[in-house]
């Protein structure tokens, strides 16, 4: 029972704000907090990442994790490993890792990205002691449109994605981590379901207001553990859109309960700047 908190595309909380969020979650019997991170950690090996954007220091992360533990909340990082790298890949130091100049995704056929990602992940793993790690990997729509396009002569777009997921999975497992990942690309390319290790936990996100979410049947029937993930609907707005979030939260959790979901992660997002004040989305957290 938790929330994911986008700190990469707008508001970046200070420690006092993080602690306020954690305390609120604890009050409503939540047990998991997932900060969503694209480039918002100060890395020792790559100090240009997140520079000037409010990246969290290692001491701040340590204090956050310790405070959460005191409140019986586990901090699991969501750290992107494929797409949503717009900010990072705009830096001259890293642009050569992109699928094409201006892309949001890494080039999955470039072997150089894997030592780079392993460097980043090892620093992330050291900062967050949870046995779980969320590798992100959502909305990687530009894979196959640039430098990796030539690989499609002998492979499918599903295989390109699945092979990358397995490379990241192997890095995580070799460092003692259990892997979570987003499920949207898998639902778009369902053949991936037969290519993935069965001990990956899928984060099944849908934000439309609906009565039933058939993906919960799909993940259950394929033998995957999964969590359902609605949203507080704070993106591209100054006040959360409750007319959408309330039925979304209620019905996707209901679908998850019906189909043996192992949990729920309610998400907030900062698309185009995160204008919604963090306190305004507490209602959505409490309702979930």
């Amino acid at each position: 029972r938790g929330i994911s908190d986008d700190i990469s595309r707008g508001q970046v909380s200070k420690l006092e704000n993080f602690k306020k969020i954690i305390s609120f979650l604890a009050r409503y019997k939540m047990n998991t907090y997932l900060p969503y991170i694209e480039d918002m950690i100060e890395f020792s090996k790559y100090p240009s990442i997140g520079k000037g954007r409010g990246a969290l220091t290692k001491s701040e992360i340590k204090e956050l994790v310790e405070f959460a533990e005191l409140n019986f909340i586990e901090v699991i990082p969501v750290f992107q490993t494929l797409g949503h790298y717009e900010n990072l890949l705009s830096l001259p130091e890293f642009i050569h890792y992109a699928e094409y100049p201006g892309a949001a995704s890494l080039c999955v056929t470039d072997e150089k990205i894997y030592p780079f990602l392993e460097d980043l992940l090892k620093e992330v793993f050291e900062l967050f002691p949870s046995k779980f790690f969320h590798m992100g990997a959502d909305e990687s729509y530009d894979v196959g449109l640039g430098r990796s396009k030539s690989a499609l002569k002998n492979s499918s777009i599903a295989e390109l994605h699945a092979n990358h997921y397995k490379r990241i999975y192997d890095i995580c497992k070799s460092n003692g981590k259990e892997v979570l990942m987003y499920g949207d690309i898998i639902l778009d390319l369902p053949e991936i379901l037969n290519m993935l290790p069965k001990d990956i936990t899928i984060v099944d996100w849908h934000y439309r207001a609906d009565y039933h979410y058939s993906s919960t049947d799909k993940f259950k029937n394929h033998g995957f553990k999964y969590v359902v993930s609605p949203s507080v609907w704070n993106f591209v707005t100054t006040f959360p859109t409750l007319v959408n979030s309330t039925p979304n939260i209620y019905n996707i959790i209901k679908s998850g309960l019906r189909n043996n979901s192992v949990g729920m992660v309610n998400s907030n997002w900062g698309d185009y700047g995160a204008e919604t004040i963090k306190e305004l989305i507490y209602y959505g957290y409490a309702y979930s």
Side-chain angles (χ1 to χ4, degrees), residues 127-232:
L127 290 168
F128 296 93
S130 170
K131 71 175 183 178
F132 296 104
F133 171 76
H134 189 325
M135 61 181 271
D138 60 316
E139 298 184 324
S140 51
Y141 304 128
D142 39 14
V143 170
L145 298 180
R147 292 197 291 145
S148 66
K149 188 174 185 178
S150 59
L152 295 176
K153 295 174 184 176
N154 302 306
S155 185
S156 68
I157 190 69
E159 288 173 318
L160 283 186
H161 280 90
N163 290 338
H164 178 77
Y165 300 155
K166 286 185 283 189
R167 294 286 293 270
I168 303 303
Y169 169 88
D170 288 342
I171 294 170
C172 295
K173 295 298 283 188
S174 67
N175 285 273
K177 297 293 183 179
E178 300 294 322
V179 181
L180 293 83
M181 67 174 293
Y182 290 121
D184 55 308
I185 298 296
I186 298 171
L187 293 174
D188 288 343
L189 304 166
E191 56 268 42
I192 292 175
L193 284 166
N194 298 316
M195 304 177 190
L196 290 182
K198 279 294 193 285
D199 63 341
I200 291 178
T201 300
I202 308 296
V203 178
D204 184 25
W205 65 270
H206 300 280
Y207 308 146
R208 68 185 184 278
D210 212 338
Y211 291 104
H212 178 69
Y213 298 81
S214 60
S215 55
T216 62
D217 303 275
K218 185 183 289 287
F219 290 128
K220 174 190 173 184
N221 293 338
H222 276 81
F224 281 92
K225 286 193 296 185
Y226 72 98
V227 300
V228 291
S229 186
S231 177
V232 293

Side-chain angles (χ1 to χ4, degrees), residues 85-87 89-91 95-105 142:
Y85 267 1
E86 296 92 335
N87 286 298
L89 294 176
S90 69
L91 299 174
I95 195 169
H96 61 284
Y97 292 134
E99 174 72 351
Y100 53 82
S105 295
D142 39 14

Side-chain angles (χ1 to χ4, degrees), residues 81-118:
T81 56
L82 179 54
H84 283 297
Y85 267 1
E86 296 92 335
N87 286 298
L88 193 150
L89 294 176
S90 69
L91 299 174
E93 184 180 353
F94 307 113
I95 195 169
H96 61 284
Y97 292 134
E99 174 72 351
Y100 53 82
S105 295
L106 298 165
C107 176
V108 297
T109 57
D110 185 347
E111 277 298 316
K112 292 191 293 294
I113 72 167
Y114 295 104
F116 170 64
L117 285 171
E118 187 163 12

